[in-house]
Amino acid sequence: MKTVRLEVADGIARLTLDRPDQGNALDMTLALDLGEAARRCADDETVRCVVLTGAGRMFCAGGNIGAFVAAGTPGPTLRKLADTVHIAIRTLAEMRKPLVVLVNGPAAGAGLSLAALGDIVLAAESSHFTAAYTAIGLTPDGGMTWLLPRLVGLRRTQEMILTNRRVTAAEAASIGLVTRSVADADLAAEGLAAAERLVAAPTAALGVSRGLILEGTESRFFDHLDREAAAISAAGDGAEGREGVAAFLARRKPDFKGV
């Protein structure tokens, strides 16, 4: 993978969009590399948490507009790129392990979509967010029109996408777009601390919980109650559930990494 760095250590997989000279803008190469890296993380049983960030001063500038123009066929090129990016996004969304996103700089277009995808999203104080698509006559992709209404509400989504208003890191935290804003110098340490907490947590239970949250946005309430009942029953019979209950009764800290 040339444009995405994948580093695995101590149960944490770190994915870094690594094309800083182009603002980590997405083209087919980066989209394919991101999909491959995401699949490796999803399939690697030693990985208990995935961290996504960007190299350089930007998190992700969105799509590589120059590549669309150079292709000479923008419509088919955009469709192929969107489909490829969506494979990576779907893999990251469906994997049975948590995703921490560290927004180290501006996030625009698909970069905003990638940021919104995280379970825990920390934004450097200097970062900001812009939908960007309609400014060049395009429409959103990367799941933006699905994720944003659920995170920040319909009215804010309409304003962000239709006017392309820039949202600061502080505002992003206040409206629920990100988990919290942190000082630029503290982003790496805060991200590592969050990932380490998740690594020590029951990975299987977190993975099933991620799936329930995703399904819950579309399910009928009573159907979803049945899914929750089935899931908690399975968790209770699983190794993590047994360890967690035993630790609670023994008044000790559970060791989920050892089960």
Side-chain angles (χ1 to χ4, degrees), residues 188-209:
E190 291 276 354
L192 178 59
E196 287 177 340
R197 285 193 295 271
L198 291 168
V199 164
T203 304
L206 297 187
V208 173
S209 297

Side-chain angles (χ1 to χ4, degrees), residues 135-246:
I136 55 172
L138 299 178
T139 56
D141 64 355
M144 184 183 293
T145 56
W146 193 94
L147 289 163
L148 283 189
R150 290 162 173 81
L151 292 171
V152 305
L154 177 61
R155 284 290 175 247
R156 288 194 179 99
T157 297
Q158 289 169 320
E159 182 188 27
M160 288 179 65
I161 292 177
L162 300 184
T163 73
N164 295 301
R165 182 175 69 83
R166 177 180 291 186
V167 175
T168 65
E171 182 183 358
S174 71
I175 65 178
L177 177 58
V178 304
T179 307
R180 65 180 181 274
S181 173
V182 302
D184 287 31
D186 296 336
L187 182 64
E190 291 276 354
L192 178 59
E196 287 177 340
R197 285 193 295 271
L198 291 168
V199 164
T203 304
L206 297 187
V208 173
S209 297
R210 289 187 93 222
L212 286 169
I213 292 168
L214 196 61
E215 293 167 2
T217 59
E218 299 295 314
S219 299
R220 292 178 62 252
F221 179 56
F222 299 123
D223 292 338
H224 203 65
L225 288 177
D226 289 338
R227 290 193 183 95
E228 287 187 336
I232 197 171
S233 174
D237 284 336
E240 290 180 348
R242 292 194 299 271
E243 166 62 11
V245 170

Side-chain angles (χ1 to χ4, degrees), residues 26-32 34-35 62-64 68 73-91 110 113-114 133 138-144:
L26 290 158
D27 60 8
M28 279 300 297
T29 300
L30 197 152
L32 287 167
L34 181 59
N64 187 326
F68 308 157
T73 54
T77 300
L78 286 167
R79 177 57 190 261
K80 186 176 181 180
L81 177 60
D83 284 343
T84 305
V85 172
H86 290 174
I87 290 171
I89 286 176
R90 180 165 184 165
T91 302
S113 298
L114 285 171
Y133 291 94
L138 299 178
T139 56
D141 64 355
M144 184 183 293

